Amino acid sequence: MTTTRTVELKAARKIRTPQHLTHSAAVFAGALMMIWPAIYNGFPLLYPDSMTYLGDGPVLARKLFLHQPSSYYGMRSFFYSLGILPLHWNITAWPVVVFQAILMSYILWLVVRSIVPRRIVPVYLALIAILSALTTLSWYASIIMPDILGPALYLTFYLLTFARERISRAERLTIIGIACWAVTAHATHIMLGAGLCLLLMAVTLLQRWPARRFLSAAGEMTAILAIAAIAQLVLYGYFYGTVSLNGERPPYLMARVIADGTGREYLAQHCGAHSWAICNRLQNLEGDADHFLWDSDGGWGGASTEEQNEVRQEEVPFVLATRRAYPRVQFSKSMTAFWQQLQTFGIEDLDPSSWVAKQFEEVLPDRRANYLASRQANNTLYIEEFAAFQIWVVRGFLLVMLIFLPFIWRRAPSRLIGLSVVVVWVVISNAFVTGTMSMVDERYGSRVIWLVPFLACLYVFDWFFDRKAAPTIQDHFSKNRSTSAMSWVSR
């Protein structure tokens, strides 16, 4: 009996091995399609923030592993900087975008496989080709930034909740690891991830799922968020001596309320009675949040290190005081920003930058010439044309979703409905968090807006396969009736 069982297992492995190779090839092909903007550019795409992520990694590693302190460790995600360090080692940036694309391609493969009933490889490759050519997915896979990891996290939560029976234990452990890194890669990810976790727990409770399945999904999502939060508290505590989830990040909330005008009005009326640190820079508070944070004559960007630390410590009390003083005005300003952010998506900040070129001397010294020869450095990427085109792409796919929504609603496939809940919530909550707590920015919307075309394509594929399956079932019943009739006649 044991010998027979062993032979059966070996035969099953022989059947699965070619299939696994085909599926792996599809994932790698999808990743290759995603990075076409970087290939077209001749170099991975770079935001100004990209250089800080690349440059901070070695400083952090020397402190973490060699105990060599530094006076400055950076203001962005330590986990993303450390995570990509083994991929570039300040030599080349290409492995970073390839790795990001493979992770995203793998997550999308699992999502598509959970919904599409058959012919998964051609459907997946067709879907990735559409998304890569028409949406911002490929651009954010090609940029050295943690933005692409946000959608990876949200889709992971979909898989752990609605597609548990479609993923193996090894796949589950893999995506949990990806999710843990994704949560720590950007400050907004943990906020949106926590909100999505609560939403999905509420949905499953309303659907009265079996307790075991509910606890498994909720437990894994909660564990991801808890592990990420604890890791951030420990790491930032080690570097700064103060427990924190974000480290020494800029005062985005303060910048938001000052740019809204309510913060300036509050300071004009209360600086005499309250010694806010920002009162020393009243003459530098005009302009938008970007000016406040980064310009040399901005309220925070132009301040000394000591002043910046004081302003950062007063940020939350100042924001709360401003909102208490002007609740209706601030609410109106915040809702306006939310609505604007919801409609704002495109590609920007990819223009030639002398600052980025200068940073190559420290970050990637042997690749400066390659960057200067790229289309990005020579302003020939046609970003404005793509941004204008992207607006119509999203509108078109929204129309497709509306057309197919009655069909989806009538059939109510649980996984596709679950994915719809995730995508709609992510797009809306992302606009709310970034628009009201930071600033209205093309980048914030475009890093998640490609999920709408992705969902619309799955609507179409689900309709197509259901339509193809219906005649097959009907023919099956007809064949059974014919066979029964012939048997009756012969008798």
Side-chain angles (χ1 to χ4, degrees):
M1 179 69 75
T2 304
T3 304
T4 304
R5 180 60 177 166
T6 302
V7 172
E8 290 176 351
L9 289 174
K10 288 182 178 180
R13 289 193 193 100
K14 288 182 179 179
I15 294 173
R16 288 198 300 266
T17 298
Q19 195 175 50
H20 287 168
L21 291 176
T22 302
H23 294 175
S24 298
V27 171
F28 281 100
L32 184 62
M33 284 190 281
M34 284 185 202
I35 61 171
W36 75 261
I39 297 172
Y40 174 70
N41 181 48
F43 200 85
L45 301 177
L46 300 172
Y47 278 116
D49 296 354
S50 305
M51 306 309 287
T52 61
Y53 284 118
L54 291 168
D56 291 346
V59 179
L60 296 169
R62 283 193 290 268
K63 166 66 175 176
L64 192 61
F65 301 109
L66 302 178
H67 306 291
Q68 297 178 3
S70 172
S71 60
Y72 181 71
Y73 297 108
M75 64 179 68
R76 309 196 185 280
S77 170
F78 288 3
F79 289 88
Y80 183 73
S81 294
L82 289 169
I84 65 174
L85 177 59
L87 299 171
H88 66 81
W89 290 119
N90 295 122
I91 296 174
T92 176
W94 278 104
V96 178
V97 297
V98 172
F99 183 67
Q100 291 183 163
I102 290 174
L103 291 187
M104 194 70 247
S105 182
Y106 177 67
I107 296 294
L108 290 175
W109 165 266
L110 295 178
V111 173
V112 174
R113 192 187 69 184
S114 73
I115 292 174
V116 175
R118 55 188 181 275
R119 297 181 61 83
I120 174 64
V121 171
V123 169
Y124 172 76
L125 293 177
L127 180 57
I128 296 300
I130 293 171
L131 295 177
S132 296
L134 301 180
T135 75
T136 55
L137 167 63
S138 54
W139 292 84
Y140 279 89
S142 299
I143 298 172
I144 299 179
M145 290 284 285
D147 295 353
I148 192 66
L149 297 178
L153 169 66
Y154 316 137
L155 294 177
T156 294
F157 279 14
Y158 154 78
L159 290 168
L160 295 175
T161 304
F162 297 101
R164 299 184 60 82
E165 68 280 1
R166 293 295 183 94
I167 55 178
S168 66
R169 174 175 293 183
E171 290 169 339
R172 183 178 295 112
L173 293 175
T174 300
I175 63 176
I176 286 175
I178 295 172
C180 287
W181 184 42
V183 174
T184 61
H186 198 274
T188 59
H189 295 177
I190 193 167
M191 290 187 286
L192 295 179
L196 181 58
C197 176
L198 293 174
L199 174 67
L200 295 184
M201 289 170 64
V203 169
T204 54
L205 282 174
L206 290 174
Q207 291 184 335
R208 298 182 180 180
W209 281 18
R212 183 176 179 180
R213 184 177 181 183
F214 166 79
L215 291 175
S216 297
E220 287 173 352
M221 290 188 293
T222 304
I224 289 170
L225 296 170
I227 291 170
I230 293 171
Q232 287 178 302
L233 292 172
V234 171
L235 188 64
Y236 289 126
Y238 173 74
F239 275 94
Y240 294 119
T242 303
V243 175
S244 170
L245 283 175
N246 294 311
E248 295 184 350
R249 64 169 183 80
Y252 292 109
L253 283 172
M254 178 181 285
R256 175 74 265 176
V257 298
I258 288 177
D260 286 339
T262 51
R264 289 195 299 269
E265 182 67 21
Y266 178 84
L267 290 173
Q269 295 185 14
H270 294 84
C271 270
H274 198 298
S275 57
W276 298 103
I278 195 64
C279 289
N280 298 327
R281 302 189 60 78
L282 285 177
Q283 70 279 8
N284 302 99
L285 301 186
E286 297 296 330
D288 58 14
D290 221 17
H291 169 77
F292 175 88
L293 291 172
W294 310 119
D295 291 351
S296 58
D297 60 342
W300 191 79
S304 65
T305 302
E306 292 76 13
E307 288 175 322
Q308 287 184 346
N309 290 333
E310 291 177 1
V311 169
R312 188 187 293 112
Q313 293 173 2
E314 295 177 351
E315 178 187 19
V316 174
F318 169 76
V319 171
L320 293 177
T322 301
R323 292 188 172 181
R324 282 195 299 267
Y326 310 102
R328 292 184 180 180
V329 176
Q330 186 58 58
F331 178 79
S332 176
K333 295 278 187 179
S334 296
M335 291 302 100
T336 299
F338 158 62
W339 182 246
Q340 290 175 346
Q341 183 63 77
L342 193 60
Q343 304 173 77
T344 303
F345 41 84
I347 300 291
E348 65 168 21
D349 293 336
L350 290 178
D351 297 328
S353 170
S354 59
W355 183 86
V356 169
K358 184 178 179 180
Q359 294 304 304
F360 270 85
E361 299 174 5
E362 298 180 5
V363 176
L364 297 169
D366 297 331
R367 295 292 178 264
R368 187 171 186 271
N370 301 88
Y371 168 74
L372 293 177
S374 68
R375 292 179 179 272
Q376 181 182 3
N378 292 279
N379 201 25
T380 56
L381 273 178
Y382 305 105
I383 297 299
E384 293 181 0
E385 289 80 359
F386 179 83
F389 170 70
Q390 181 64 20
I391 294 174
W392 291 103
V393 167
V394 173
R395 290 175 178 174
F397 278 106
L398 280 172
L399 180 60
V400 170
M401 286 182 62
L402 291 175
I403 292 174
F404 284 89
L405 187 59
F407 166 78
I408 299 299
W409 187 264
R410 184 172 63 253
R411 289 186 58 248
S414 60
R415 282 184 288 274
L416 195 53
I417 295 297
L419 182 62
S420 301
V421 171
V422 171
V423 170
V424 171
W425 188 91
V426 164
V427 171
I428 294 175
S429 61
N430 175 76
F432 179 80
V433 168
T434 57
T436 62
M437 300 179 68
S438 181
M439 65 188 79
V440 177
D441 193 288
E442 296 277 352
R443 172 185 149 221
Y444 296 149
S446 58
R447 64 191 182 188
V448 299
I449 199 63
W450 63 266
L451 290 170
V452 172
F454 173 58
L455 182 62
C457 287
L458 289 176
Y459 276 18
V460 175
F461 282 123
D462 184 77
W463 168 83
F464 174 78
F465 281 110
D466 182 75
R467 186 184 178 194
K468 295 286 285 184
T472 303
I473 296 173
Q474 184 177 357
D475 292 344
H476 173 73
F477 288 137
S478 298
K479 183 178 178 180
N480 286 344
R481 286 196 298 268
S482 298
T483 304
S484 300
M486 291 296 293
S487 300
W488 181 81
V489 171
S490 63
R491 291 198 300 269

